[in-house]
């Protein structure tokens, strides 16, 4: 279990929400190449969060 006092880096919720929204729109339009790029950006954000 994570330590309650452990600090995580701040994730910019505005940027994250925008990326998620963009990803959804691209998938709906079947624009998978661009969606893949956005998914990679989200993945990087989440991996950075998990490292700490």
């Amino acid at each position: 279990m994570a330590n309650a006092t452990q600090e995580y880096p701040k994730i910019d919720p505005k940027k994250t929400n925008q990326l998620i929204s963009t990803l959804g729109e691209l998938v709906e339009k079947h624009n998978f190449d661009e969606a893949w790029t956005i998914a990679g950006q989200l993945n990087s954000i989440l991996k950075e969060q998990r490292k700490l």
Side-chain angles (χ1 to χ4, degrees):
M1 186 169 167
N3 185 349
T5 60
Q6 184 175 4
E7 292 185 27
Y8 292 101
K10 299 289 183 189
I11 292 179
D12 182 0
K14 193 172 189 176
K15 178 181 178 183
T16 305
N17 286 339
Q18 181 61 43
L19 286 172
I20 292 169
S21 177
T22 301
L23 178 60
E25 291 170 8
L26 290 170
V27 169
E28 280 184 338
K29 294 176 183 177
H30 303 280
N31 191 343
F32 300 117
D33 289 335
E34 287 185 48
W36 186 258
T37 301
I38 299 297
Q41 292 175 7
L42 285 168
N43 186 42
S44 294
I45 291 170
L46 295 174
K47 278 185 176 180
E48 192 62 35
Q49 177 73 26
R50 187 173 49 163
K51 284 182 182 178
L52 302 175

